[in-house]
Structures are given as C-alpha cells and as structure tokens.
Amino acid sequence: MMVEGIEDEEKWLAEGIAAVQQNAFFMLRAVDSDNLREALKYSAQMLSELRTSKLSPHKYFELYMRAFDELRKLELFFKDESRHGLSVSDLYELVQHAGNVLPRLYLLCTVGSVYLKSNEASCKDLLKDLVEMCRSVQHPIRGLFLRSYLCQVTRDKLPDIGSENEGVGDSVMDAVDFVLQNFTEMNKLWVRLQHQGSARVKEKREKERNELRDLVGKNLHILSQIEGVDLEMYRDTVLPRILEQVVNSKDELAQHYLMDCIIQVFPDEYHLQTLDVLLAACPQLQPTVDIKTVLSQLMERLSNYAASSIEVLPDFLQVEAFAKLNNAIGKIIEAQIDMPIVGAITLYTSLLMFTLRVHPDRLDYVDLVLGACVRKLSGKPKLEDSRATKQIIALLSAPLDKYNDAVTALTLSNYPRIMDYLDNDTNKIMAMVIIQNILKNYTCISTADQVEALFELIKGLIKDTDGISVDELDEEDFSEEQNSVARLIHMLYNDDPDEMLKIICTVQRHIMTGGQRRLPFTVSPLVFSALKLVRRLQGQDGEADGEEAPVSPKKIFRLMNQTIEALSSVPSPDLALRLYLQCAEAASDCDLEPIAYEFFTQAFILYEEDIADSKAQFTAIHLIIGTLQRMNVFGVENRDTLTHKATGYSAKLLKKADQCRAVYACSHLFWADDQDGIKDGERVLLCLKRSLRIANAAQQMANVTRGSSGPVTLFVEILNKYLYFFEKGNPKVTSSAIQGLVELIRTEMQSDTSTPDIAATAFFNSTLRYIQFQKQKGGVMGEKYDPVKL
C-alpha cells in the first residue's frame, strides 16, 4: 500500500506540474502581448493547482516552486504600468475578483509587493491588509506555503532604517508587527497539523511537520535582519511576543525548534542582555522538550561571545549571566521532576563550560556548579547509565582541561564528592584522566595535603573498592593503571625536606593498602623518591644535641625498610632485594654503616629464604657482589662478613657455569682502585683459582655426559679476569700464570673432537690479539706482557 501511495503521489505531482507549465505558457504569452485580463486568467488557473490536498509537504514544495518561479515573471509585468494600463491601486483591487481564494491571495500578495515598492500607499495599511487576508486559508500546508510566499515577496520592502519606503506614518514597528503576526498565524497552522487524523496519521504528520518547520522559522530570520530592531525593541517587543507563542503552543516539537531558532538567529549580545526573559520561559515549556540541548547551545554561544568580547563587556553583565543561568537551570530541573539524571548533568556541564570560559578566575563559581550537581545526585545510588557517566567525566574533565593544573581541581571541595557517585569502572577512568593530565602538564604536587586530596580522588586505582578484587581485572589494563600511578609518584615533590617527608609518608600510607598485586608497581617509585630526598640530605648527621632531626636519612631509611618489607608478603623477593641494595648503597654514601649493613642483611635473608630459582639466584648474587664492590663504608669486620657470605653463596649455585662466573666476580670485592686498603691480591688470586677449578670440573662433567669436553668459554672469561688484575698491578697475578692459562685453553680446544664452538674461538682469538697489542705497544705495559709467549 505504501508503494502504491508513493506512486500515486508521483503521478499527482506530475499532473500538477504539467498543468502549471501549460497555464504558465499561456500566461506568459498573454504577458508578452500585454494582455492583462488573459494573464490574470491563466495565472489564476496555474495557481489553482496549489489547492491540491493530495501531496506531502515535500512534493507540494516542488509544485510550489514551479508556480513561484512563474509568479516572479508576472510580478515584473505588474510593475510596468505602461504595459497593462492600470495603476497599481486599481490592479490591487482587480486581482481581488479572482474566483478561488487561494489563487486570489497569491495574486494579491504579488501585486501587494509591487504596491509596497511604489510608495503610493501606507505600508502599514497594506501589510495589515495582506496578513489579514491570508487568514482565509486555514488548511495547514496550503496556508503555510501561502504565508511563506508573503514573507518572501515583502521581506525587501518592509519599512526599515534607511529603506525607501520608510516614510511618514510608516515605521520599523509596522514591519515588526507584520512579521510577528505572520509568524503567529504560521505557528498556529504548523501546530494544528499535528492534531489531525488518527494515531497512524499523526506519525506521518510528525514527519511532515519536520519538513515544514523552516517555513515558520523564516519569519524569525527576517526579524533578525531588520536593522531597526535594536536591543530595546528586541527586549520589550520582539522577544516577549515570540516567547508568548512558543509557550502557548504547548507543542513539544514547536517549542524545541523555535527556542533553537531564537538562539541561532538573534545576536549573542541580545541574548546576554535579555537572559532573564529568555530563561523565564524555559520552565514553562513541555516536560518532554529537550531543554538541555537548547540551553547547552545558548551557553556555548554566550561563552564564545563573552570570551571574544571580554574587554568590552561590563563585569556586572558577565556576573549576572552566570547568576541567571544558574538560577534558571535550577528552576528547570525542579519543574521537570521526570527529567533523566543525564539531562540534569548535561545542563550543569554546559553551565560549567560557560563558567570556565567567562569566569576562569572564579573558582567559587566552578565549585558552586559542582555543588549543585552533587545535590542533584544526592540520595541516588551510584550511576549506571553510560550516558550519565559520560557526562560526569566531561564535567570533571572540564576544569582539568581549562587550567591544565590538577592542583586547581584539588582545591574544589565538591570535586571528590561527585566522583563518589561514579561506579568503580568509571571512577578508575576518571582517575586515569586526572593522572594523565598531571603527567602531560608536568604538574608538581607539592604539599602533603594536596597529595592526600589527590589520592582520595584516585583511590579506585590504589586499593580495592566495594569488594572488587584485582584478580577480576584485565591484566593489561591493570598494568597500565598501576604504571600510571607509579609515574605519578615521581610528580610529588617539594624543595622543603620536612614537607617532602610528609609527602612520602602520605604516599606510603595509601599504597600500603593496595594489596599484593599493586605493591610491586608502587613501592619502587616511592623508594626511589625517598632516596632522592636522602641524597639531598647526604652528609647530614641528623642529630642536634643528641636529638634526631625531624628529617634525617636515618628516619627515611627506617621508613623504607618497613615499606620494602611489605614486598616479602607479595611475594616479590627479586624486587625487594634490588630495593634493599639500593638503600644500602645510599646509606653507604651517607656514611651510615649500621644501616647499610642492616639492608645487606635483609638482602641476604631474602636470598636464602625466598629466591629459589637458579636464574634468579645467579642474577641476585651478581647484584649483591656489584653493590658491595662499590661500597666503602664498612669496617674490616663487617666487610669480611659480607664478602664471605657472597663468595660462599657464589660457590653454592646450582650450575657449575654460574658458580664459576659468580666466584670470579667475587675477586673484585678484594681489589678496588679507588678505595684505600681494599687491595688484597692473595684473596683475588684465590677467587680466580677457585673459579678455574670449578671450570675444570664443568669440563669434566661435560666429558662424562656428552663424551667430549665442553666449551672453553669459561676459561677464556677467567683469562680476561687474570689480564684485568695483571694490568691493575696485582703482584699475585703473574705473567707465568697468564702463560699457563693460555696454553691450557689451547690444549682444551685441540682436544675437543666435537664441533668447535665458533663464539668461544672468536672470543679467545680476540683476547690473544689484545695481549699481542699490549706487547707491541711498548712502555711499562709492554714490558709486563713481554714474558707472555703467544
């Protein structure tokens, strides 16, 4: 049936266009022969086609435009009195004798436009006559197009400032009254269209009304183009009469469209000066009107205008604008009790955007808007509507984007209260927005109070909430969140040591509640942040008159010891060991031997009790050896104890190769160029010989298991250690020992019947080239290497 209806409508349109074209042909032929009577006859017949009720607005518009184009040609004929022989006043009387109402009124409007241009009669009387005459057509579609034609042909002939027809007795007010009356009648016709027919027909009418709405809005556009409509006239006459029609229509579509038209077509300056009048109408609109969109557009335009005119606008106008908008939004939300929460939040978001653009320095206004939003949310459960949460994120992000300074947001008392209404996932999203803003803008959070406020905002990332365990979270998302928190900790800084220690203590208190999976991410940056403070205090003994200073390395190290200890329950022994060694090295630099020894003790305990994997043990013992080698704070007894443990653990590693490498690494614990007293050549040699024995054992084991000797890489590595200490002047490492080791490696490589190890061979040849280079270089070093025969 729908297809048949479309086909019928196309047929009716084609018939109508054909009739218009046929009558237009005869009309133009009569015009060419200056035959007025025939021209009027055929023009009336042509216009009779517009009496149809069979066409939809879209199709009717096509037919109307065909007739409109022909009427423009007829108008030119009417203007030339010499051709038709009648004065314009007589012509105006003559066309009123046309048989049918609709053709008569189209012709009357056409002649009327010529009459207005001639200035032979009062514009006021002519305009009133025309607009009243058009009341004869009450069919919504035919009436709307007729009045649209009236608008079109008179718009450039209305009395206005500087216009030709602004004469005695005619004023701008006459033009305004005409357009407003025409607007009123068109609006009534447009609204009436909705109330015709059954429910099914009404659905069709809704679509038709959307197609016709711009005909009504054209009147407001014409009003906005009249030069004589100044602010006073707009405020006292134009706006009140338009709003009266908007409110009285009691029609959702009409109210929404016309409010949008008012905002779009009239100057922003007028809106700013008449906000109270415009906003007073908003609570009177139908509850179903999407007022949030209308007001959002209004506030966006006003904020853009105010921002661009900030230097010329009086301050009181801007302040009044905020007060009026805030008051109006409150009344609208109160009046529309069924307004969804997303609508209310959208309004407050728009108001906040306006405030940030117009009053960026008024944080009290910003907090006032946030407080109003809190009151709207109070008593309600956490938001689950995705549209509402999206608006909340926009609301909370606005101050961050405006100020590029999260510290400013921390001063807003209602900011965290709004975040409390977000569900866990959205809360974390907003927390990430805050952190990313801080990182992007390199914002420094410089007081403990600010840190406390910040961590309260991002608590969804630093501890479990509402029974949601981290085990339920996506691993990749969780890692990204915690890495962001870790980066954030590095942005917490103050030059004052007292305040910095307070910041560290605040962070420590919060992250300790994070649970086992979060601690490995957050403890490390906290420890390094604390060690930065220790470096700044380096050399301070921390005591005055026997009392420990408020901020001292000792106090910080105690705090770090407690913090790192928490990692043992995670468990994350590898990370804890690394952090203990970092703290031990820092304590050494501060000349705090007991504290450094304690950190080493904790590291060895972790190694003994918690690190079981052979690879992890190998890495850990090398870290211990490397850290211990760089430290110079220990006395003889403590250093011997620690080096003894390190060498002992090295020799107990599971794999022979690991044992060998760890033992020869221990040789560096007994020889350091930059440390007085640590040059024990005998013990260096013992470590190197012990590593040789282990390497030999590894070769024998390989021979047993594989039937051939294993790679000689370990021997080459040991040779390089011999060369190092030989050059450093260790008297226990002699050229004969090097000579013997070179021959040993050659023997092992020659006896290996399996496929040669290319890497080991290249390594050994490179070492030999180095020895040869030193021999040829001459000087003291050349003399030392001279006994070595290659």
Side-chain angles (χ1 to χ4, degrees):
M1 291 178 64
M2 183 176 294
V3 174
E4 291 177 0
I6 293 173
E7 291 176 351
D8 289 342
E9 192 174 23
E10 290 289 348
K11 183 183 71 173
W12 295 327
L13 175 61
E15 291 173 354
I17 290 175
V20 167
Q21 289 175 333
Q22 181 181 11
N23 285 293
F25 170 79
F26 290 114
M27 179 193 76
L28 293 176
R29 190 170 67 175
V31 167
D32 290 340
S33 60
D34 296 336
N35 188 333
L36 176 63
R37 187 169 299 278
E38 289 295 305
L40 291 176
K41 171 186 172 183
Y42 286 112
S43 62
Q45 291 178 8
M46 175 186 73
L47 292 167
S48 292
E49 296 302 319
L50 295 177
R51 297 170 60 201
T52 181
S53 301
K54 298 178 179 179
L55 301 178
S56 67
H58 180 69
K59 299 298 182 183
Y60 190 91
F61 175 75
E62 291 186 39
L63 184 63
Y64 164 81
M65 287 307 300
R66 296 295 183 107
F68 177 82
D69 291 339
E70 303 301 334
L71 285 174
R72 304 305 291 173
K73 301 171 186 175
L74 184 64
E75 183 182 353
L76 295 175
F77 175 62
F78 288 158
K79 285 181 180 179
D80 193 346
E81 186 177 331
S82 63
R83 295 182 62 186
H84 53 70
L86 289 179
S87 67
V88 68
S89 58
D90 292 339
L91 187 60
Y92 188 73
E93 293 292 333
L94 178 62
V95 296
Q96 295 187 43
H97 296 290
N100 290 307
V101 172
L102 191 65
R104 180 196 314 155
L105 291 176
Y106 271 103
L107 289 171
L108 190 66
C109 290
T110 306
V111 176
S113 71
V114 177
Y115 205 173
L116 287 169
K117 188 73 173 178
S118 70
N119 292 326
E120 295 181 13
S122 166
C123 286
K124 177 180 179 180
D125 294 337
L126 272 174
L127 291 172
K128 183 177 181 181
D129 189 44
L130 289 170
V131 78
E132 291 290 344
M133 287 280 198
C134 287
R135 284 187 175 178
S136 303
V137 180
Q138 290 296 311
H139 184 277
I141 295 178
R142 294 197 293 267
L144 282 168
F145 277 95
L146 172 64
R147 288 187 174 276
S148 176
Y149 180 72
L150 177 61
C151 278
Q152 188 65 32
V153 297
T154 59
R155 64 183 302 170
D156 59 341
K157 305 173 184 69
L158 299 174
D160 196 2
I161 295 174
S163 65
E164 296 178 1
N165 47 10
E166 185 191 17
V168 178
D170 296 324
S171 65
V172 173
M173 185 56 72
D174 298 328
V176 171
D177 285 338
F178 165 74
V179 177
L180 284 174
Q181 186 173 354
N182 196 53
F183 161 72
T184 300
E185 296 299 327
M186 289 183 76
N187 189 45
K188 290 177 180 177
L189 291 171
W190 186 45
V191 171
R192 187 187 307 156
L193 186 63
Q194 176 63 17
H195 303 291
Q196 296 181 350
S198 63
R200 184 174 180 181
V201 172
K202 285 182 179 180
E203 184 177 344
K204 176 185 175 184
R205 294 299 188 197
E206 186 76 15
K207 179 182 178 182
E208 292 177 348
R209 289 186 66 207
N210 277 309
E211 295 173 352
L212 292 168
R213 64 182 189 177
D214 288 340
L215 299 180
V216 184
K218 183 189 296 184
N219 292 278
L220 301 186
H221 181 71
I222 292 173
L223 272 175
S224 70
Q225 300 298 309
I226 299 176
E227 293 288 338
V229 178
D230 56 13
L231 175 60
E232 182 180 359
M233 185 181 292
Y234 177 77
R235 181 185 61 236
D236 298 338
T237 303
V238 175
L239 183 60
R241 287 179 62 179
I242 295 175
L243 290 176
E244 180 183 7
Q245 286 303 310
V246 173
V247 173
N248 289 342
S249 70
K250 299 186 183 303
D251 180 82
E252 175 190 350
L253 178 62
Q255 289 180 340
H256 184 277
Y257 172 70
L258 293 175
M259 289 295 287
D260 184 61
C261 270
I262 293 171
I263 293 168
Q264 298 297 333
V265 304
F266 290 106
D268 297 328
E269 179 189 0
Y270 288 10
H271 295 324
L272 191 61
Q273 297 275 8
T274 59
L275 258 182
D276 48 349
V277 180
L278 184 59
L279 295 175
C282 293
Q284 303 176 57
L285 303 179
Q286 297 298 104
T288 52
V289 173
D290 186 13
I291 193 63
K292 69 178 186 299
T293 302
V294 174
L295 286 182
S296 295
Q297 292 176 346
L298 173 63
M299 286 184 278
E300 182 179 0
R301 289 179 64 96
L302 289 179
S303 63
N304 291 335
Y305 170 70
S308 62
S309 310
I310 194 79
E311 296 180 357
V312 297
L313 283 178
D315 290 340
F316 76 88
L317 267 184
Q318 299 177 46
V319 173
E320 283 182 0
F322 171 78
K324 290 172 182 177
L325 286 168
N326 187 39
N327 184 52
I329 288 173
K331 287 183 177 179
I332 291 169
I333 293 174
E334 183 179 346
Q336 298 189 9
I337 55 176
D338 295 330
M339 176 184 286
I341 192 67
V342 64
I345 297 172
T346 302
L347 285 174
Y348 285 125
T349 301
S350 299
L351 179 58
L352 184 63
M353 298 297 290
F354 170 83
T355 306
L356 292 171
R357 287 289 302 276
V358 181
H359 306 286
D361 56 329
R362 294 297 300 267
L363 289 178
D364 55 329
Y365 284 3
V366 176
D367 208 30
L368 188 66
V369 176
L370 296 177
C373 192
V374 169
R375 287 191 294 276
K376 180 62 181 176
L377 293 170
S378 62
K380 294 180 173 59
K382 291 194 174 185
L383 295 174
E384 295 182 355
D385 183 351
S386 60
R387 296 176 302 159
T389 55
K390 184 177 180 180
Q391 283 298 318
I392 286 286
I393 290 177
L395 180 78
L396 294 174
S397 298
L400 297 175
D401 295 337
K402 175 62 180 178
Y403 299 114
N404 288 326
D405 182 7
V407 174
T408 303
L410 298 178
T411 64
L412 302 170
S413 61
N414 289 302
Y415 200 93
R417 295 172 63 191
I418 293 181
M419 286 193 67
D420 289 339
Y421 288 96
L422 297 174
D423 62 85
N424 293 322
D425 290 339
T426 311
N427 195 295
K428 288 196 292 184
I429 292 172
M430 192 61 228
M432 286 291 287
V433 170
I434 295 171
I435 292 176
Q436 294 302 326
N437 182 273
I438 292 173
L439 298 176
K440 176 184 175 182
N441 296 292
Y442 299 98
T443 305
C444 180
I445 313 299
S446 58
T447 69
D449 290 340
Q450 291 176 355
V451 173
E452 184 68 41
L454 174 62
F455 274 58
E456 182 62 27
L457 289 179
I458 64 169
K459 60 187 176 184
L461 297 179
I462 57 179
K463 64 180 179 181
D464 296 339
T465 54
D466 295 343
I468 302 297
S469 170
V470 292
D471 295 330
E472 302 174 28
L473 305 177
D474 179 78
E475 184 66 34
E476 186 175 345
D477 291 343
F478 177 76
S479 296
E480 181 182 357
E481 292 168 359
Q482 296 310 303
N483 282 323
S484 295
V485 174
R487 292 176 62 197
L488 172 67
I489 293 174
H490 290 295
M491 304 302 296
L492 316 177
Y493 179 80
N494 194 299
D495 287 328
D496 178 36
D498 289 346
E499 191 63 32
M500 188 63 205
L501 180 59
K502 291 179 182 177
I503 290 174
I504 290 171
C505 290
T506 302
V507 175
Q508 194 254 9
R509 175 164 47 82
H510 279 280
I511 68 172
M512 286 298 104
T513 64
Q516 294 185 356
R517 283 188 61 190
R518 289 188 178 91
L519 285 176
F521 291 93
T522 53
V523 167
S524 293
L526 177 61
V527 170
F528 281 100
S529 182
L531 293 181
K532 285 182 185 178
L533 178 57
V534 169
R535 303 290 185 191
R536 287 160 55 192
L537 299 172
Q538 194 169 318
Q540 175 182 319
D541 58 13
E543 297 181 1
D545 299 328
E547 295 291 331
E548 187 174 335
V551 182
S552 68
K554 289 182 180 179
K555 182 176 289 188
I556 298 171
F557 283 130
R558 282 200 296 268
L559 181 64
M560 290 304 97
N561 193 21
Q562 297 169 7
T563 305
I564 300 171
E565 190 177 356
L567 287 174
S568 62
S569 64
V570 172
S572 187
D574 299 347
L575 177 59
L577 183 137
R578 290 173 182 267
L579 294 177
Y580 277 134
L581 295 178
Q582 288 285 343
C583 290
E585 191 169 358
S588 173
D589 293 340
C590 294
D591 203 24
L592 297 173
E593 180 180 3
I595 294 176
Y597 188 84
E598 175 61 25
F599 280 122
F600 255 104
T601 302
Q602 295 296 330
F604 277 123
I605 291 173
L606 274 176
Y607 181 85
E608 293 173 355
E609 297 181 357
D610 296 320
I611 300 179
D613 180 73
S614 61
K615 289 185 179 179
Q617 286 182 337
F618 179 70
T619 302
I621 201 63
H622 272 273
L623 287 171
I624 291 172
I625 294 169
T627 305
L628 185 56
Q629 187 268 337
R630 292 192 299 271
M631 297 175 65
N632 58 6
V633 70
F634 295 120
V636 175
E637 183 178 351
N638 284 340
R639 187 172 186 83
D640 283 348
T641 302
L642 296 175
T643 54
H644 177 72
K645 277 187 168 292
T647 53
Y649 287 132
S650 298
K652 294 178 181 178
L653 291 171
L654 179 63
K655 297 178 181 178
K656 290 294 182 181
D658 292 345
Q659 288 180 23
C660 178
R661 292 185 172 103
V663 169
Y664 71 60
C666 288
S667 62
H668 289 279
L669 297 176
F670 306 105
W671 193 277
D673 290 338
D674 57 347
Q675 297 173 18
D676 295 336
I678 309 180
K679 290 185 178 178
D680 191 340
E682 186 68 37
R683 297 180 73 176
V684 169
L685 186 59
L686 286 174
C687 288
L688 295 179
K689 287 182 175 180
R690 189 174 187 182
S691 64
L692 270 175
R693 290 196 298 270
I694 298 172
N696 188 55
Q699 288 289 82
Q700 292 177 3
M701 186 178 297
N703 190 42
V704 172
T705 56
R706 295 191 302 220
S708 64
S709 58
V712 296
T713 305
L714 290 176
F715 290 112
V716 182
E717 291 174 8
I718 297 169
L719 172 60
N720 277 268
K721 288 297 175 184
Y722 268 84
L723 295 178
Y724 173 83
F725 289 109
F726 180 66
E727 292 184 3
K728 292 298 181 183
N730 187 337
K732 300 298 182 181
V733 178
T734 63
S735 59
S736 60
I738 294 173
Q739 182 74 58
L741 190 51
V742 169
E743 294 174 357
L744 172 64
I745 295 171
R746 281 179 170 156
T747 302
E748 289 292 336
M749 294 179 72
Q750 292 170 0
S751 64
D752 188 1
T753 57
S754 64
T755 304
D757 187 333
I758 297 174
T761 302
F763 188 15
F764 180 57
N765 289 336
S766 177
T767 304
L768 294 180
R769 284 196 299 271
Y770 175 78
I771 296 173
Q772 185 64 36
F773 170 76
Q774 293 290 28
K775 286 168 66 67
Q776 294 173 353
K777 190 166 66 171
V780 176
M781 194 58 66
E783 292 179 1
K784 289 188 68 172
Y785 274 99
D786 190 59
V788 180
K789 305 301 180 184
L790 300 180

